[in-house]
Amino acid sequence: MKFGTGIWVVLVAGVCLSCSRQQEMKEIRSGEIWPDTEGNHINAHGGGVMYHEGTYYWYGEHKSDTTCNAMVGVMCYSSTNLTDWKNEGVVFSVADDDSSDIARGCILERPKVVYNSRNDKFVMWFHLELKGQGYAAARAGVAVGDSPVGPFHFLRSERVNAGCLPFDMSQEEVALFDTLDGSHFKEWWTRPWEQAVKEGLFLKRDLEDGQMARDMTLFVDDDGKAYHIYASEENLTLHIAELSNDYRWHTGRFVRVAAGGMNEAPALFKHDGTYWMIASGCTGWAPNEARLFSAKRIWGPWIQHPTPCVGPDAEITFKGQSTYILPVAGRRDAYIFMADSWRPEHPSDGRYIWLPIRFSPDGTPVIEWMPAWSLNYFDKLSVEKQ
Ligand code: GAL
């Protein structure tokens, strides 16, 4: 699809208050066509952004016009200003080999990339479903590259943390877990089944072969430790799992968050020492109300708050589903909420919702609908705060 950049980009004269000089900032217009620097609608869905040496890299699913299956792979776009994105091409490609885990036509979703300074490598994790098996495989995949623009080389895909229980389970919880018996629950969605799910019915079912890992994100903490956060246990419970120092393996240390809460599409950030997580409910491609959680430590306890969204369509996350929260480089208190407005009938036409996060006086994030805004918004916020 070709579009003139004029459709999306409107120049606004904004005053950069922090540097007291007139600057031109381009607007971000959520839900509209977002042309790259060549005029093509950006094709990077379910994505995330990595900042590295002065440049932002936006990685996401390449979507075709007629299918949500992965026919191409993971795309990357680069930018220094968060509005003009250069297409860096396919940085991780599906394989022309049906015996490969990443065979063309598989489902490859929500890729995220982090930089590992210990070995100077870029590590990509993604949700993988094997070709022809619908969403049954529920695997995490990992690939590694020497450069932010790839190519990324596939390492493996698997269910995760086989043989490990959440390290924070109390003796009482382990005792209850031990009594769970899947054969008692022929029927789903009954009260006793829901209780058993909370106690770890599916955790137990998958203990030996590894836990399901679908919608996912990555988070690197200030101490350089990386975490994989994913929808597990039949999309009923989120897990936060520690990655090894090279970011390529799970260490076996993980916790469950909001057991039985049916959350997916997790996105995590840290502000003033508090961890915040935004997630969605499980309604497939259709939008639902965003969920907000916070914790003082990454391992929890995680507390649920009301939705952070405010304004028209706030109850359906402005027609979007969370995918990432982007800290704006070098700026305090500046975070961008990234979501996808899916179009399953024409997947490549899926739209992006990018909105600034502001913090209420008690520190709770608020995401207000704005059809158009520019990065100057954060200057205004910091002036208000002074
Ligand atoms: C969504 C999920 C997407 C995709 C879709 C398939 O709920 O967040 O990443 O998996 O379901 O229906």
Side-chain angles (χ1 to χ4, degrees):
M1 270 188 288
K2 269 273 183 197
F3 295 90
T5 41
I7 296 178
W8 177 78
V9 174
V10 180
L11 285 177
V12 285
V15 184
C16 173
L17 293 167
S18 56
C19 52
S20 303
R21 68 187 159 84
Q22 193 82 6
Q23 275 201 342
E24 281 193 333
M25 289 273 191
K26 290 179 181 170
E27 287 187 331
I28 292 177
R29 301 176 75 90
S30 291
E32 298 191 10
I33 288 290
W34 191 337
D36 64 12
T37 50
E38 288 162 10
N40 299 307
H41 181 46
I42 292 172
N43 197 337
H45 309 268
V49 174
M50 176 190 70
Y51 181 73
H52 186 69
E53 294 180 348
T55 302
Y56 295 94
Y57 297 91
W58 177 355
Y59 303 90
E61 303 157 24
H62 174 279
K63 290 255 188 245
S64 307
D65 294 343
T66 53
T67 172
C68 285
N69 292 9
M71 307 310 290
V72 171
V74 176
M75 299 292 293
C76 176
Y77 293 80
S78 65
S79 173
T80 50
N81 62 8
L82 291 173
T83 52
D84 300 298
W85 291 94
K86 172 171 175 264
N87 185 349
E88 299 285 357
V90 185
V91 293
F92 179 55
S93 187
V94 292
D96 274 318
D97 166 7
D98 266 351
S99 67
S100 164
D101 288 2
I102 53 165
R104 197 178 302 280
C106 66
I107 293 173
L108 196 167
E109 294 180 336
R110 297 183 177 271
K112 305 288 177 304
V113 174
V114 287
Y115 173 64
N116 189 297
S117 58
R118 287 187 188 88
N119 54 22
D120 198 24
K121 299 277 185 209
F122 298 85
V123 184
M124 176 188 291
W125 284 86
F126 51 91
H127 165 204
L128 182 75
E129 299 292 348
L130 301 176
K131 185 174 178 176
Q133 298 186 21
Y135 278 85
R139 292 191 188 189
V142 58
V144 174
D146 290 323
S147 143
V149 292
F152 285 80
H153 302 285
F154 182 53
L155 295 183
R156 65 183 189 284
S157 79
E158 62 192 4
R159 294 264 180 114
V160 301
N161 286 324
C164 303
L165 279 182
F167 73 86
D168 63 340
M169 271 173 98
S170 66
Q171 277 185 352
E172 292 75 30
E173 284 169 334
V174 174
L176 269 175
F177 176 85
D178 283 342
T179 64
L180 292 170
D181 182 346
S183 67
H184 293 166
F185 301 97
K186 299 267 179 279
E187 209 185 321
W188 285 33
W189 310 112
T190 63
R191 275 284 175 82
W193 176 87
E194 279 173 11
Q195 185 56 32
V197 166
K198 281 189 193 150
E199 289 164 5
L201 187 66
F202 294 115
L203 187 72
K204 187 165 188 174
R205 182 196 67 186
D206 294 336
L207 188 60
E208 202 177 312
D209 295 332
Q211 300 297 327
M212 301 175 100
R214 291 203 183 110
D215 280 8
M216 57 142 283
T217 193
L218 297 177
F219 175 74
V220 180
D221 211 338
D222 307 330
D223 60 3
K225 269 203 181 305
Y227 299 87
H228 177 211
I229 300 107
Y230 51 94
S232 193
E233 304 180 38
E234 301 286 354
N235 288 355
L236 293 160
T237 298
L238 291 169
H239 289 182
I240 298 181
E242 183 183 69
L243 295 178
S244 58
N245 285 342
D246 63 7
Y247 300 170
R248 299 178 189 196
W249 299 91
H250 290 78
T251 64
R253 270 172 79 75
F254 74 102
V255 293
R256 303 169 79 214
V257 177
M262 286 185 83
N263 297 293
E264 61 177 7
L268 204 138
F269 70 109
K270 189 178 184 180
H271 179 244
D272 282 350
T274 299
Y275 298 86
W276 294 96
M277 177 159 56
I278 298 178
S280 75
C282 299
T283 51
W285 303 116
N288 56 54
E289 187 169 75
R291 289 112 186 259
L292 177 69
F293 301 87
S294 72
K296 287 284 165 210
R297 296 177 328 128
I298 188 117
W299 297 129
W302 287 85
I303 310 161
Q304 189 162 0
H305 305 264
T307 178
C309 300
V310 177
D313 289 325
E315 71 291 351
I316 48 166
T317 318
F318 319 116
K319 302 182 185 154
Q321 185 183 28
S322 41
T323 183
Y324 199 72
I325 291 157
L326 164 61
V328 180
R331 302 195 66 141
R332 264 188 64 84
D333 306 330
Y335 298 83
I336 300 173
F337 171 69
M338 294 169 51
D340 294 280
S341 204
W342 303 108
R343 304 224 164 165
E345 67 297 338
H346 185 179
S348 60
D349 191 33
R351 305 297 169 88
Y352 309 102
I353 313 279
W354 282 35
L355 292 168
I357 296 182
R358 67 177 158 83
F359 295 91
S360 58
D362 71 356
T364 307
V366 178
I367 306 169
E368 194 168 348
W369 171 252
M370 277 177 245
W373 62 284
S374 78
L375 292 177
N376 285 337
Y377 174 86
F378 293 116
D379 294 321
K380 215 175 87 207
L381 274 191
S382 47
V383 167
E384 275 168 11
K385 221 179 151 190
Q386 279 161 21

